[in-house]
Amino acid sequence: MFDRWATLADLVGVSETDLLCAAGVLPGTFANSLFVAQATREIRETLDRADQLLRHADSLNPSSGVAQVVNELSDSGAGWEIRLRSARRGSDIQITYHHYVGVVPPPELTPWTQEQLRAYIQRDVLAHIWRPLSLYWRVAEPHDWPDAPELLIQVPEQEATRPPSDLAPRLDMGPIIVLSPPWGYGELLSSLVAAAIGFGNIDFRYFGIPDDRPDRVWLISSEITDAASGFVVAVPPLLLLDGLEIGAAQLLDTVPVLITYGQRVRQRAYEVYRSYLDKFGGKTAIIKVERFIQEAIHCMPTGTRYLQVTLADDDVMYEGRVDRHKLNDAIAWLALEVSRMLLETWNVSPIPIAGPLRSLVQSSGRVRQRPPMLSEAVWRTVSGPGMLPSAP
């Protein structure tokens, strides 16, 4: 970096001496605190722009995850028909959730069942990149692709599991554990918060544990229990129906975040996961998951603080239905609020917001004013084992 120090100083519009002061290389007497704060912010913004450029370049790089999947399928000799689409949503802030690789089998393989085709592709065609790229079979309704092929490989983007940033604040605290009902967008909120504050993100859909492993639930439970500081962990809500238990052992010394939603989002969640939820009682299965995560919060010691994120129906409705773009924006604004609340609690100043949420921060460093919303994020305190939480 110091080889390009003059260029960097010119880029942010300051002298090399002032930039060295801001970086802590020269004594602080060379510049006042106001300038140091300003220069630090400008440096961070410059690095954020560079990060965005690198992310864009990586998505176009032949070695990107989508390109590798396509290349492997093309080189397998089976004559697959391949279709591509990206899940990109939002109005206030656009987020690329993941990429889809749709696979249509050649005529000679049409007698095979969907299960046989998935097993063949995963174990024989894409075996060596399946886990490293955190690939995932999309079996739920693909909201962004109404006429998608039945064989749909999901390549993660925003919600991918990733390590902490080297620039993240080093805080003496446990991991952040996000609990949400099915289709509560807990994974998206987790990934946005992690990117905003420089933490690592763990999304068990893209963690490399095969769906058909009989000890899958036990492995995920162990990973949650042993999650390290500097990570945001999204608890998979559907696995709570399969026996995944979240209690005091998993939440001890963590920062829990509880997501709740309204009746209309709950109805949409059932429509999305109907085939899975019907095995556990249909719509009542969602109520079971909500009860599980509420009980997990209530089992914590009296006085434990946690964040409750409430997603209001009115904030995500458009023309009488749940709109995925409005839902995306509501979660993004809530993730920004959660990130700010966490950093303020840890006395991290100035507040460094990175990742996609950076687009909600003005060049002056001030956060854009949030549109009127009923959704909110608030600190709450556990009143006692088995008791309802209380506001702080």
Side-chain angles (χ1 to χ4, degrees):
M1 178 174 285
F2 282 100
D3 291 340
R4 304 294 181 183
W5 200 254
T7 303
L8 181 59
D10 182 64
L11 181 63
V12 299
V14 299
S15 69
E16 293 182 49
T17 300
D18 289 332
L19 193 60
L20 290 170
C21 290
V25 178
L26 294 179
T29 54
F30 281 83
N32 60 47
S33 59
L34 178 62
F35 174 80
V36 170
Q38 179 185 5
T40 302
R41 185 187 69 246
E42 292 175 348
I43 292 172
R44 182 182 296 116
E45 290 173 353
T46 300
L47 293 177
D48 283 344
R49 290 195 295 272
D51 178 67
Q52 292 173 8
L53 177 63
L54 291 174
R55 285 172 179 266
H56 179 66
D58 181 66
S59 67
L60 301 176
N61 192 293
S63 63
S64 68
V66 173
Q68 290 185 56
V69 172
V70 172
N71 289 339
E72 293 297 331
L73 288 169
S74 300
D75 292 342
S76 66
W80 310 99
E81 178 185 335
I82 302 171
R83 306 173 188 173
L84 303 176
R85 182 167 295 190
S86 294
R88 186 171 177 83
R89 306 171 201 163
S91 300
D92 291 345
I93 173 172
Q94 291 194 340
I95 299 171
T96 300
Y97 286 53
H98 43 258
H99 307 281
Y100 294 122
V101 179
V103 183
V104 179
E108 59 269 23
L109 295 182
T110 51
W112 289 22
T113 66
Q114 296 296 315
E115 290 74 19
Q116 289 174 323
L117 288 167
R118 286 193 179 96
Y120 174 68
I121 292 173
Q122 181 175 339
R123 298 172 184 172
D124 294 288
V125 180
L126 304 177
H128 63 292
I129 63 172
W130 191 270
R131 293 187 64 181
L133 295 182
S134 298
L135 304 181
Y136 178 79
W137 285 112
R138 178 75 180 205
V139 293
E141 174 189 343
H143 320 297
D144 310 89
W145 200 348
D147 58 345
E150 293 186 6
L151 293 174
L152 206 60
I153 299 170
Q154 199 164 300
V155 185
E157 179 73 21
Q158 173 59 37
E159 297 173 325
T161 292
R162 56 181 178 271
S165 166
D166 292 336
L167 302 177
R170 292 293 177 257
L171 304 169
D172 186 16
M173 44 72 66
I176 301 167
I177 306 293
V178 178
L179 298 157
S180 71
W183 212 66
Y185 276 58
E187 294 88 357
L188 177 61
L189 185 134
S190 298
S191 68
L192 289 173
V193 170
I197 64 178
F199 277 32
N201 181 61
I202 295 179
D203 186 331
F204 287 105
R205 297 172 302 174
Y206 313 116
F207 197 65
I209 301 178
D211 291 338
D212 56 356
R213 280 199 62 156
D215 57 348
R216 176 179 174 81
V217 171
W218 178 84
L219 286 170
I220 291 177
S221 177
S222 300
E223 291 291 342
I224 294 174
T225 303
D226 298 332
S229 61
F231 279 89
V232 184
V233 181
V235 175
L238 293 178
L239 285 188
L240 293 171
L241 296 170
D242 275 327
L244 177 63
E245 295 184 0
I246 300 297
Q250 288 77 20
L251 298 181
L252 186 65
D253 297 325
T254 71
V255 180
V257 178
L258 172 66
I259 298 178
T260 60
Y261 52 36
Q263 291 294 337
R264 292 183 177 181
V265 177
R266 185 181 291 110
Q267 173 61 32
R268 181 57 179 150
Y270 173 67
E271 295 169 0
V272 172
Y273 291 108
R274 181 193 299 268
S275 61
Y276 190 89
L277 295 172
D278 280 349
K279 296 184 294 183
F280 299 94
K283 294 180 181 179
T284 61
I286 297 179
I287 307 298
K288 293 178 185 177
V289 175
E290 291 178 311
R291 187 176 69 248
F292 289 155
I293 61 179
Q294 288 280 353
E295 291 174 350
I297 295 293
H298 299 161
C299 78
M300 295 187 297
T302 301
T304 301
R305 298 180 76 211
Y306 69 97
L307 273 165
Q308 179 166 339
V309 176
T310 303
L311 182 63
D313 283 341
D314 290 346
D315 293 334
V316 300
M317 302 298 296
Y318 179 72
E319 296 183 346
R321 61 181 178 84
V322 177
D323 182 80
R324 62 179 181 268
H325 297 291
K326 291 179 70 69
L327 184 55
N328 173 93
D329 290 345
I331 291 293
W333 283 110
L334 288 168
L336 178 63
E337 189 67 18
V338 169
S339 301
R340 294 179 64 193
M341 293 168 74
L342 290 170
L343 293 171
E344 288 171 356
T345 299
W346 299 328
N347 295 318
V348 178
S349 181
I351 296 176
I353 298 296
L357 298 182
R358 185 65 192 171
S359 64
L360 300 178
V361 182
Q362 299 173 344
S363 57
S364 64
R366 295 176 61 87
V367 178
R368 286 170 51 191
Q369 185 174 359
R370 194 179 79 170
M373 292 175 60
L374 296 177
S375 303
E376 62 177 359
V378 296
W379 283 108
R380 296 199 180 278
T381 304
V382 177
S383 301
M387 298 179 63
L388 292 176
S390 62

